[in-house]
Each structure stands twice: as structure tokens, then as C-alpha cells.
């Protein structure tokens, strides 16, 4: 027994136990002490977020007409996109076949009018106007084509005034909102000790920037 205690192997194991025991006792305290240090920077770097609804509310009452005008403009653009497709204005296949059949004499006046009515496109209406003057002088045929072409152009320009109105009114609403926000900011400066306190001016500046 005395030989075992005095052996080098036993001494090395004893030194290891002597060093490991205090470290094992200090490990929980070190872990708990490190947790606040790790959580501290994460909490300090947390960025507050703002929802879209809060941003719109911060823009003031003039955001409402701007949103309405934008919605109307989107509806008009969508309707014009669907109405002015190539198949609704100048279908290529119909024009090629129609002109080929007319040049070859494959259809008469009534047959050509039926083809135009079945196609129901703007160019078909122009062809139908020319066919109704079949056998008339060239001046009358040309005038009929010009008149129907003008009507087709007017139908293509439909809702153009609405688009012009929205594009004119929206910037004015935005300018009015900017003036509104700056008035609120200056009222805060005049009505309280807002100098050096930017939080009192944030509302008016936010309204000016949003609108």
C-alpha cells in the first residue's frame, strides 16, 4: 500500500484530481456569468420594426385619397391591358386570311361582312365599314374607312382622361401632405420647447415624408 502511494503513477493521478476538482466546481458559475454577456449585445442590437399599416397611419389623412387614386389607376391599367391585346385590335391571322380571300375572290360582299362580324375586332370593324361601301366610288370607301378608324382610335383611348386625372391629382395630394407635415412640425416647435427634442418633431416629419 505504501509502495502504491509513493509510486509516480499515483502521484500524477493525484495532481490531476487536485486540478480538475476546482475547475469542475467553478464551471456552473462561469456558464451563468457568460449568459448575460452573450444576451447583452443581442438585446442591444434589437431593431424595432414597423408594420405597413402603422406606416400608412403615420402618413396622415392625405394618404387615403392617394391610395384611392392608385387603386383606380391600377384598375384602368388592367382593363386597358386586357382590352388592347393584339387579338382584340389587329389579329394577324384574321387579317392575312381576309385579305387573301378578298384578293382571290373566294368570298363575296355578304360573306366578307359575316367574317368581320364573327371576328369582332377593331380592324374587323374597319373592314366592315369599307365593305358596306362595296361598289361605291373610292372616295366614299376611303371616307368610310377613315371614319371607322377614328371611332376605333377613340375606343382605344378610352379612360385616358381618368389616367391623366390621376397622374395630375396624386402629386398634388403628395405636395399637400408634405406641407401638412411641415406645418405640424413647426406647430410643435412653436407650441412647446421642442428645440433639442427630435421626438416631438418626428410626427410631422414622418407625415411629410410619407405623403
Amino acid at each position: 500500500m505504501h509502495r502504491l502511494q509513493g509510486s509516480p503513477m499515483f502521484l500524477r493521478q493525484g495532481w490531476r484530481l487536485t486540478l480538475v476538482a476546482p475547475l469542475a466546481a467553478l464551471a456552473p458559475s462561469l456558464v451563468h456569468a457568460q449568459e448575460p454577456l452573450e444576451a447583452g449585445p443581442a438585446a442591444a442590437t434589437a431593431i424595432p420594426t414597423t408594420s405597413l399599416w402603422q406606416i400608412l397611419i403615420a402618413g396622415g389623412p392625405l394618404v387615403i385619397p392617394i391610395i384611392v387614386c392608385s387603386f383606380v389607376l391600377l384598375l384602368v391599367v388592367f382593363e386597358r391591358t386586357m382590352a388592347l391585346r393584339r387579338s382584340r385590335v389587329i389579329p394577324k391571322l384574321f387579317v392575312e386570311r381576309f385579305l387573301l380571300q378578298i384578293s382571290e375572290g373566294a368570298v363575296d360582299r355578304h360573306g366578307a361582312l359575316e367574317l368581320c362580324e364573327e371576328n369582332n375586332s377593331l380592324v374587323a370593324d374597319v373592314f366592315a365599314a369599307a365593305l358596306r361601301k362595296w361598289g361605291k366610288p373610292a372616295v366614299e370607301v376611303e371616307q368610310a374607312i377613315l371614319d371607322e378608324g377614328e371611332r376605333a382610335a377613340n375606343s382605344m383611348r378610352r379612360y385616358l382622361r381618368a389616367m391623366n386625372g390621376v397622374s395630375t391629382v396624386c402629386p398634388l395630394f403628395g405636395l399637400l401632405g408634405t406641407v401638412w407635415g411641415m406645418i405640424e412640425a413647426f406647430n410643435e416647435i412653436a407650441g412647446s420647447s421642442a428645440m433639442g427634442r427630435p421626438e416631438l418633431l418626428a410626427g410631422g416629419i414622418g407625415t411629410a415624408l410619407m405623403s
Side-chain angles (χ1 to χ4, degrees):
M1 184 69 180
H2 292 288
R3 291 179 181 177
L4 182 60
Q5 291 180 354
S7 64
M9 182 66 68
F10 183 79
L11 292 176
R12 284 197 296 269
Q13 291 180 355
W15 278 107
R16 290 177 182 176
L17 292 175
T18 305
L19 293 175
V20 170
L23 292 176
L26 291 175
S29 60
L30 292 175
V31 171
H32 291 294
Q34 190 177 2
E35 288 179 355
L37 295 176
E38 294 178 353
T45 57
I47 300 175
T49 58
T50 305
S51 63
L52 179 60
W53 179 251
Q54 292 175 345
I55 294 175
L56 293 178
I57 292 177
L62 290 174
V63 173
I64 297 176
I66 293 176
I67 294 176
V68 172
C69 292
S70 301
F71 181 72
V72 171
L73 183 61
L74 285 176
L75 290 180
V76 172
V77 170
F78 179 76
E79 191 275 336
R80 289 290 85 193
T81 302
M82 299 301 295
L84 298 180
R85 291 176 297 174
R86 184 180 180 86
S87 59
R88 298 287 299 273
V89 180
I90 307 177
K92 183 178 180 180
L93 185 61
F94 167 76
V95 172
E96 292 177 354
R97 290 183 177 180
F98 182 82
L99 295 178
L100 181 61
Q101 291 177 356
I102 291 294
S103 62
E104 293 179 353
V107 293
D108 56 357
R109 177 174 178 270
H110 297 287
L113 282 174
E114 290 180 357
L115 291 176
C116 293
E117 293 174 357
E118 291 175 359
N119 186 261
N120 195 22
S121 62
L122 295 180
V123 71
D125 295 337
V126 176
F127 287 161
L131 290 173
R132 293 187 184 96
K133 298 295 181 178
W134 189 296
K136 300 293 181 64
V139 177
E140 295 186 14
V141 176
E142 182 180 358
Q143 188 61 40
I145 293 175
L146 292 176
D147 293 340
E148 188 61 34
E150 185 65 27
R151 282 190 289 269
N154 290 333
S155 66
M156 294 174 65
R157 289 194 294 265
R158 187 181 180 185
Y159 300 131
L160 186 59
R161 291 183 179 179
M163 298 178 66
N164 290 333
V166 169
S167 61
T168 303
V169 170
C170 272
L172 296 179
F173 279 129
L175 181 60
L176 182 59
T178 302
V179 175
W180 187 304
M182 296 307 297
I183 290 174
E184 289 183 353
F186 284 118
N187 286 336
E188 291 291 340
I189 295 175
S192 61
S193 56
M195 298 303 295
R197 299 178 61 186
E199 66 275 5
L200 297 179
L201 306 178
I205 297 175
T207 302
L209 294 177
M210 277 299 301
S211 56

